[in-house]
């Protein structure tokens, strides 16, 4: 794999039906021409991703959505105009030009307009949408730097476009409309509070047992490090800590525990900072010599909910 900043080279590879790592403001994606089923199949191969798991398509601007979807429910229109480009994905009724492999046979397609300048520049130059899941092997921690993509997929992908560290640091929030209500299928970079402020409807969290679209972000085990991760809802009991464990915290470190094995997502309890540090720290700790990661829950507000969601799914005790 080559890592670089050459948008032309990325475009050439994509035009030829190859897959390319791309930066976005949420996490790095593994992109291919969404209208070319053979190119899309290479994404599934490189990630070892089950074929029943559909992909998000990425567009340069809101104006292009009508080319690929039948309709946009009126409830979603204010959200589209307020948050796009940005970390919000919409589940919408697809047109026939979106191949079945992209949606895993579903009549709905997930659409996102990323705001990262590098991927915006790339999307403006090509005349097809990019299908792109996060650029990690299926189930593993999402990549938030070109180096993470290189470390995980170097033998499987020819090129990754380096756009620096992802600023948001967790995946997009996925929303849709069901029976007149706004439904959130995956918590992410846009909070429930932000959505609620823009809609009269009650914002509902998709219920796993219901017959609504299932997203892999809803799978019980996902975003997992190779090491064991334990999730604690209250304070971590010092008696639970074994010699070679490390701690992933929010806020100040605990003076009764060795400082060097405590890692805080944000010492001054800033949820935005914590979000952008979550995956870098998980990658770092997974590559360290510590045996287990003991992670402390964040407050269940704003981005804290999305972080807790990732930590629970990464853990073996939840
Ligand atoms: O921030 C993001 O959304 C990143 C960047 C690269 O854009 N992408 C991302 O993709 O997180 P991925 O594939 O790792 O997660 C997309 C989620 C999956 O859980 C998938 O099941 C769900 O979106 N999804 C995609 N298309 C869907 C569809 N048609 N119906 C239901 N769920 C869908
Ligand atoms: Mg993913």
């Amino acid at each position: 794999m080559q890592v670089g900043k050459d948008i032309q080279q990325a475009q050439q590879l994509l035009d030829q039906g190859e897959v390319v790592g791309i930066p976005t403001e949420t996490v790095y994606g593994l992109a291919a021409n969404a209208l070319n089923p053979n190119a899309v199949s290479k994404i599934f191969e490189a990630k070892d991703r089950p074929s029943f798991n559909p992909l998000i398509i990425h567009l340069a601007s809101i104006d292009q959505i009508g080319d690929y979807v039948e309709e946009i429910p009126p409830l979603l229109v204010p959200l589209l105009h307020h948050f796009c480009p940005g970390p919000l994905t919409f589940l919408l009724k697809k047109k026939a030009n979106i191949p079945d492999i992209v949606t895993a046979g579903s009549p709905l397609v997930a659409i996102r307009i990323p705001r990262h300048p590098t991927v915006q520049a790339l999307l403006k130059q090509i005349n097809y949408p990019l299908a792109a899941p996060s650029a990690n092997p299926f189930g593993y921690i999402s990549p938030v730097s070109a180096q993470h993509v290189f470390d995980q997929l170097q033998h499987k992908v020819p090129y990754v476009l380096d756009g620096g560290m992802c600023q948001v640091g967790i995946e997009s929030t996925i929303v849709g409309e069901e029976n007149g209500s706004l439904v959130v299928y995956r918590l992410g970079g846009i909070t429930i509070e932000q959505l609620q402020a823009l809609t009269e409807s009650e914002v509902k969290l998709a219920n796993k047992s219901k017959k609504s679209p299932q997203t892999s972000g809803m799978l019980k085990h996902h975003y997992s490090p190779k090491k064991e991760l334990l999730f604690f809802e209250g304070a971590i009991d010092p008696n639970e800590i074994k010699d070679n464990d490390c701690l992933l915290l929010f806020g100040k470190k605990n003076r009764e525990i060795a400082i060097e094995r405590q890692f805080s997502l944000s010492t001054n309890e800033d949820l935005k900072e914590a979000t952008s540090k979550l995956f870098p720290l998980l990658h770092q700790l997974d590559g360290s010599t510590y045996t287990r990661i003991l992670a402390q829950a964040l407050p269940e507000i704003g981005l804290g909910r999305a972080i807790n969601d990732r930590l629970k799914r990464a853990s073996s005790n939840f």
Side-chain angles (χ1 to χ4, degrees), residues 22-29 55-62 64-65 68-69 80 83-92 109-116 119-120 123 129-134 166 168-175 186 189-190:
I22 54 162
T24 84
E25 69 279 14
T26 58
V27 301
Y28 273 72
L55 306 176
I56 296 176
I57 70 165
H58 299 71
L59 302 174
S61 76
I62 296 178
Q64 297 171 330
I65 297 181
Y68 306 104
V69 312
L80 194 61
F83 293 113
C84 298
L88 190 61
T89 295
F90 295 84
L91 272 187
L92 302 167
V109 61
I111 298 214
R112 178 158 111 77
I113 296 144
R115 72 163 178 244
H116 191 295
V119 75
Q120 267 288 331
L123 284 167
L130 290 177
S134 50
C166 301
V168 175
I170 53 170
E171 295 83 350
S172 60
T173 299
I174 304 180
V175 295
R186 178 177 69 184
I190 299 292

Side-chain angles (χ1 to χ4, degrees), residues 27 47 49 133-136 138-140 142 171 186 216-217 222-223:
V27 301
K47 272 193 67 123
R49 178 174 173 119
S134 50
N136 50 282
F138 185 68
Y140 191 62
S142 302
E171 295 83 350
R186 178 177 69 184
S216 72
H222 212 67
Y223 313 111

Side-chain angles (χ1 to χ4, degrees), residues 193-227:
E193 292 88 337
Q194 283 175 293
L195 296 171
Q196 190 66 76
L198 281 186
T199 176
E200 310 265 281
S201 135
E202 183 202 351
V203 180
K204 294 185 180 160
L205 260 184
N207 176 343
K208 264 192 251 173
S209 56
K210 243 183 39 182
K211 256 183 60 202
S212 55
Q214 300 285 306
T215 75
S216 72
M218 290 170 77
L219 293 178
K220 191 145 187 288
H221 291 293
H222 212 67
Y223 313 111
S224 302
K226 298 189 182 84
K227 290 203 168 129

Side-chain angles (χ1 to χ4, degrees), residues 73 75-76 89-92 174-178 181-185:
L75 177 71
L76 301 180
T89 295
F90 295 84
L91 272 187
L92 302 167
I174 304 180
V175 295
E177 185 257 8
E178 281 185 47
S181 291
L182 180 63
V183 181
V184 174
Y185 298 100

